[in-house]
Amino acid sequence: MTAPPPAPLPPLAGGTAGADALRPLIDTVLDALHTGARARGGPLPAGGPDTVTARVTAALGDLLPDHGTGDHEALRTLVHTLAAGAADPADPLCAAHLHGPPLAVAAAADLAASALNPSLDSWDQAPAASAIEALVTTTLAAEFYDTPHPDALITTGGTEANQLALLLARERHGPTLTVLHGTNAHHSIPRAAWLLGLPPTTALPTPTGTLDPARLAEALDATRGPVLVTATAGTTDAGLIDPLEPLADLCTHHGADLHIDAAYGGLLALSPRHRPALTGLQRAHSITIDLHKLGWQPVAAGLLAVPDTTLLAPLAHQADYLNAPDDTDAGLPDLLGRSLRTTRRPDALKIATTLRSLGRDGLAHLIDRTCALAHHLAHLLDAHPGFELHAPPTISTVLFRPTPDTTATTPADDDHIAALRRTLLHTGTAVLGRATTDGRLWLKATLLNPHTTPQDLNTLVTLLEGSTHR
């Protein structure tokens, strides 16, 4: 009996034939994204976790069948299912988290990164990608530091960047380093100290939402040994910015290092209108930036910037198969000290493409427009008798609470607000966050979609009005 011919090998994404193989598959993906979004019909799938899980399970069936269904069927089914069940940050009513809609140009660049699959742990895996990353990191670092040799590392986001900042501080000062931060700091700061074996961090009360210089001065006076102060430019709950210049003055006076977690607010530096809010940022020993927030990049796109590249020296590491000394001496770039990760995708490509496509003025326009939208929403809520506005937004986060009815003078209770948010999620009509401040629970709208219109915000307020007063 003659053996059947072997099955054809599936095509690869790279090489000279890669583009031809990808083109029809991309059409299938784009069609499935479209049909999935139409099936969802809103910012979130309706029905809640159990319903969504049941839909996914039913659509996928046997995920590892004995015989494959083929590329197009698999893509059509999986991508449609993903899109139909997505929390879509491109929908104006999806405004809960610091999770922005990526620009199309950045997502397109990310396709190329996936197709070519460079790994930035050795030059021979990523010749051009390593050069692009070097240009991105020095270019962006120079936006935050006016120093001769600023530098930055690409990270997976703010959490990794904060961990690196504490690691570098520990290597400068030793394992007895004291970390001071406000209670408004991101949870990754105390967690990084725990991961690094540092003493538990000291959280200073922030009753007004930002770190009080007077309270920090007291803590610095009472602390012995090396200190790292971490300030925040864009808090997770309310988007507030600590008084960076006075805090930097105190750190200079006491000989303490300063790290600023500007994952949310750091890119305000690209906007002439909003840059003054970051006065003092350039005085930090390190700065965390997230470009998948106000930079509109696909996750992940983080950055840790430093004023001088020598500050990154403690990350140097050697493994013969990646950066043998004789290869480095012969001129091959040593990439292993650019991250704690080994295999590392070229996230710099989508960032570089966006910077070139939009330029500084294009990015500033998106930032200014997004912040203006937050102020517009705040104005609508403040003028509405059914809502209580917490405060005008600092960046693009708006905190508010419904009142029980249009004539009430006392706010709705926290249980009602929490239940309202979950009802909106369950029905798939709106995605809002939650934040506790002033001892009360608030709804949180985090606006990161520059395509949102004033009419979209009117629709949101009308929707909330109907939901809160039924």
Side-chain angles (χ1 to χ4, degrees):
M1 178 180 291
T2 303
L9 293 173
L12 300 177
T16 57
D20 290 336
L22 280 171
R23 190 168 284 111
L25 297 178
I26 290 171
D27 285 341
T28 298
V29 167
L30 295 178
D31 288 344
L33 285 172
H34 177 71
T35 61
R38 287 176 60 89
R40 185 181 66 246
L44 194 78
D50 291 342
T51 299
V52 172
T53 298
R55 288 176 187 153
V56 170
T57 302
L60 269 54
D62 186 356
L63 194 59
L64 185 60
D66 290 336
H67 302 287
T69 62
D71 294 346
H72 289 278
E73 190 284 332
L75 284 169
R76 192 161 44 245
T77 299
L78 267 294
V79 175
H80 175 95
T81 301
L82 179 68
D88 187 356
D91 189 295
L93 301 188
C94 187
H97 301 287
L98 287 165
H99 173 208
L103 295 169
V105 68
D110 224 17
L111 169 64
S114 294
L116 293 168
N117 211 29
S119 182
L120 282 148
D121 48 321
S122 66
W123 183 87
D124 58 355
Q125 298 176 80
S130 61
I132 290 171
E133 180 176 270
L135 285 170
V136 167
T137 52
T138 54
T139 297
L140 288 176
E143 292 295 318
F144 307 106
Y145 290 113
D146 184 16
T147 51
H149 304 290
D151 202 352
L153 302 175
I154 301 290
T155 71
T156 54
T159 293
E160 184 188 350
N162 285 338
Q163 289 172 353
L164 284 171
L166 266 66
L167 171 62
L168 292 172
R170 186 195 71 180
E171 294 306 290
R172 289 194 297 270
H173 299 293
T176 61
L177 177 72
T178 297
V179 178
L180 302 177
H181 61 85
T183 54
N184 64 345
H186 193 261
H187 64 84
S188 61
I189 297 294
R191 196 177 192 198
W194 167 70
L195 284 168
L196 294 166
L198 292 169
T201 63
T202 299
L204 307 178
T206 54
T208 64
T210 57
L211 185 55
D212 180 7
R215 200 178 290 270
L216 177 62
E218 293 174 357
L220 287 169
D221 285 338
T223 303
R224 298 293 172 263
V227 176
L228 174 70
V229 173
T230 69
T232 307
T235 59
T236 303
D237 278 348
L240 302 179
I241 298 175
D242 286 338
L244 304 180
E245 193 82 270
L247 297 178
D249 288 341
L250 283 169
C251 289
T252 298
H253 177 73
H254 286 83
D257 285 4
L258 175 63
H259 169 65
I260 298 178
D261 178 0
Y264 180 11
L267 286 182
L268 296 177
L270 298 179
S271 164
R273 180 179 303 173
H274 293 286
R275 188 181 301 125
L278 298 177
T279 300
L281 182 71
Q282 74 285 355
R283 296 177 61 186
H285 287 76
S286 53
I287 303 170
T288 288
I289 305 290
D290 254 1
L291 288 102
H292 52 242
K293 294 181 172 63
L294 285 175
W296 296 281
Q297 298 300 293
V299 173
L303 200 76
L304 179 71
V306 293
D308 193 278
T309 189
T310 58
L311 291 170
L312 302 176
L315 299 178
H317 187 66
Q318 201 271 315
D320 272 351
Y321 77 105
L322 295 172
N323 59 347
D326 59 312
D327 279 346
T328 302
D329 292 342
L332 294 185
D334 180 357
L335 305 182
L336 206 52
R338 303 294 298 178
S339 177
L340 293 182
R341 293 172 284 153
T342 303
T343 302
R344 193 161 58 84
R345 73 189 309 273
D347 288 317
L349 176 65
K350 62 196 176 191
I351 300 171
T353 305
T354 303
L355 297 180
R356 183 178 177 87
S357 172
L358 272 67
R360 190 179 283 104
D361 59 346
L363 285 164
H365 172 66
L366 293 182
I367 292 166
D368 293 347
R369 177 178 171 82
T370 302
C371 292
L373 287 166
H375 282 277
H376 182 74
L377 176 59
H379 174 75
L380 291 177
L381 293 166
D382 196 34
H384 197 296
F387 298 98
E388 176 188 0
L389 178 69
H390 180 265
T394 300
I395 305 177
S396 67
T397 299
V398 181
L399 300 185
F400 63 98
R401 291 164 57 95
T403 54
D405 58 61
T406 56
T407 61
T409 57
T410 57
D413 64 60
D414 288 356
D415 290 342
H416 169 77
I417 292 171
L420 167 62
R421 175 180 174 272
R422 289 190 292 270
T423 297
L424 294 171
L425 294 176
H426 190 85
T427 57
T429 50
V431 189
L432 295 173
R434 55 185 288 169
T436 300
T437 185
D438 299 337
R440 295 186 290 166
L441 183 66
W442 300 77
L443 293 174
K444 177 174 69 171
T446 308
L447 300 186
L448 288 177
N449 184 351
H451 283 262
T452 299
T453 66
Q455 182 56 48
D456 292 326
L457 299 179
N458 291 337
T459 299
L460 175 61
V461 172
T462 300
L463 171 67
L464 289 168
E465 182 183 36
S467 299
T468 56
H469 303 307
R470 286 174 181 167

